[in-house]
Amino acid sequence: MKLLTIFTPTYNRAFCLDNCYQSLIRQTSKDFVWLIVDDGSTDSTKQLVDEWLQEKKIEIRYVWQENVGMHGAHNTAYELIDTELNVCIDSDDYMPKDAVEKINHFWRKYGSEKVSGLIGLDANTNNEVIGTRLPETLKSSTLFHLYNEHGVTGDKKLVYRSELTKQHRYPIFQNEKYVGLAYKYYMLDKEYEMLLLNEVLCCVEYLQDGSSLNMFNQYRKNPKGFAFYRKELMKLPFAGLAYKFRQAIHFVSSSLLMNNKNFLKENPSKALTIIAIPFGIILYFYILLKTRVSQG
């Protein structure tokens, strides 16, 4: 049994998926499985993967499903993964050649059931760390506290114990294709910290059609998913009042976008949400304005 599953959710990304594949066949350690979850691609993704399967350079598992969105592809991946650890590498990203070796060596030395996994660094294509490095004074932390108490910024690479990521399945909402992936991570933060590894594990290239550059359109198209996400974040026991207030503002705007008149009855903090209503209304109209501009 191999230690690590690298899983890649993909949707019509045949044009860039080869970069990820090339980085994996260059890995100094082959102690991993590459699981590709094809979320309903209609391009040449399957033919490309078939060619790689014939090459037999690394162990590849491929599954195709109807398109349900990134979080739905994550659900499928977590159901199928049978290794101790897993990490998501997106279809437009790639791994430095020693990333798997660093993950496996670090986990075998320091890993335990007392933590949920480890956190490494993302870098851009010029090998510059995205945001800040991890605090050198800490050996472990929750993801939430890194960003909200220790001043960490920028995307980081998360490697989780697979038995834990099978928990807290992302909900699927009809006619919507987005739920914040951090929902699962923050749920696990309630019980575990993560080990910190100040090494680059993934190189990231943001594409123009990536969700990170189209968030306002995501708000408009997926209000149920965002309302669920914000409501769950408002429940976090370790979150401060200012953080929960921001979530309440977004919860109000998402509720308005989905025309949910009962949102006050459905949230965990009515008083905070009432205070957030004027700000949520402003955000609601701002989202409408931004999406009209982008569509125009």
Side-chain angles (χ1 to χ4, degrees):
M1 177 70 69
K2 293 184 177 179
L3 179 64
L4 176 69
T5 293
I6 298 165
F7 74 94
T8 299
T10 188
Y11 175 67
N12 288 341
R13 294 297 184 93
F15 67 94
C16 66
L17 194 57
D18 185 65
N19 289 334
C20 185
Y21 172 65
Q22 294 299 326
S23 77
L24 297 183
I25 65 176
R26 290 194 297 266
Q27 290 298 308
T28 55
S29 169
K30 297 299 191 292
D31 188 10
F32 69 91
V33 178
W34 189 26
L35 171 61
I36 303 168
V37 180
D38 188 340
D39 190 37
S41 293
T42 56
D43 63 0
S44 60
T45 294
K46 186 179 186 305
Q47 295 91 319
L48 197 60
V49 175
D50 284 341
E51 294 176 9
W52 298 336
L53 288 167
Q54 291 297 318
E55 292 177 2
K56 298 181 179 180
K57 293 184 177 180
I58 55 175
E59 184 176 348
I60 299 175
R61 298 175 66 187
Y62 172 81
V63 60
W64 187 94
Q65 66 181 27
E66 295 290 343
N67 180 248
V68 291
M70 176 74 78
H71 65 298
H74 275 241
N75 279 343
T76 300
Y78 294 133
E79 290 173 2
L80 296 174
I81 290 168
D82 55 10
T83 57
E84 183 178 357
L85 300 178
N86 70 78
V87 61
C88 177
I89 302 295
D90 288 335
S91 54
D92 48 349
D93 299 340
Y94 59 92
M95 300 184 83
K97 66 180 182 179
D98 56 355
V100 170
E101 184 176 352
K102 286 178 177 177
I103 291 170
N104 290 353
H105 175 76
F106 185 82
W107 184 255
R108 288 190 172 106
K109 187 173 182 180
Y110 299 109
S112 75
E113 294 184 353
K114 295 180 180 180
V115 295
S116 59
L118 63 94
I119 303 175
L121 303 175
D122 277 353
N124 60 26
T125 51
N126 294 320
N127 206 37
E128 300 165 333
V129 172
I130 304 293
T132 61
R133 298 181 67 84
L134 302 171
E136 298 286 354
T137 55
L138 295 178
K139 292 184 178 180
S140 66
S141 173
T142 64
L143 186 67
F144 182 91
H145 287 102
L146 281 179
Y147 284 106
N148 293 281
E149 289 189 6
H150 298 292
V152 170
T153 62
D155 290 344
K156 300 293 177 274
K157 189 47 55 185
L158 310 177
V159 183
Y160 277 106
R161 288 199 288 126
S162 300
E163 66 174 297
L164 300 181
T165 49
K166 293 180 184 296
Q167 303 173 15
H168 310 293
R169 181 180 173 87
Y170 297 108
I172 304 295
F173 296 100
Q174 188 174 8
N175 299 322
E176 293 194 9
K177 296 180 180 179
Y178 188 96
V179 171
L181 296 178
Y183 158 70
K184 183 185 294 282
Y185 312 149
Y186 288 153
M187 293 303 104
L188 295 179
D189 274 356
K190 292 180 180 181
E191 300 181 61
Y192 299 95
E193 291 190 345
M194 302 183 75
L195 300 173
L196 307 187
L197 175 60
N198 252 318
E199 299 281 355
V200 174
L201 304 179
C202 181
C203 294
V204 178
E205 182 174 4
Y206 293 106
L207 299 181
Q208 290 301 312
D209 61 343
S211 61
S212 59
L213 295 181
N214 290 283
M215 192 52 69
F216 287 111
N217 285 324
Q218 297 288 0
Y219 289 154
R220 183 77 179 267
K221 294 176 182 177
N222 305 281
K224 293 178 183 177
F226 275 100
F228 163 82
Y229 178 66
R230 301 299 181 177
K231 183 167 61 175
E232 292 302 313
L233 296 191
M234 289 170 67
K235 298 177 186 177
L236 293 176
F238 40 73
L241 191 61
Y243 180 89
K244 291 183 178 181
F245 184 63
R246 290 196 300 272
Q247 308 314 312
I249 293 172
H250 281 276
F251 176 74
V252 171
S253 68
S254 293
S255 298
L256 294 174
L257 286 168
M258 63 193 238
N259 197 27
N260 178 15
K261 298 177 182 179
N262 296 315
F263 66 88
L264 274 178
K265 298 179 181 178
E266 300 173 1
N267 75 88
S269 181
K270 289 182 176 55
L272 201 63
T273 303
I274 290 172
I275 298 171
I277 286 176
F279 303 95
I281 292 173
I282 293 171
L283 178 57
Y284 163 73
F285 283 110
Y286 185 69
I287 291 169
L288 293 182
L289 175 64
K290 293 293 288 187
T291 51
R292 286 196 188 109
V293 170
S294 66
Q295 290 169 3

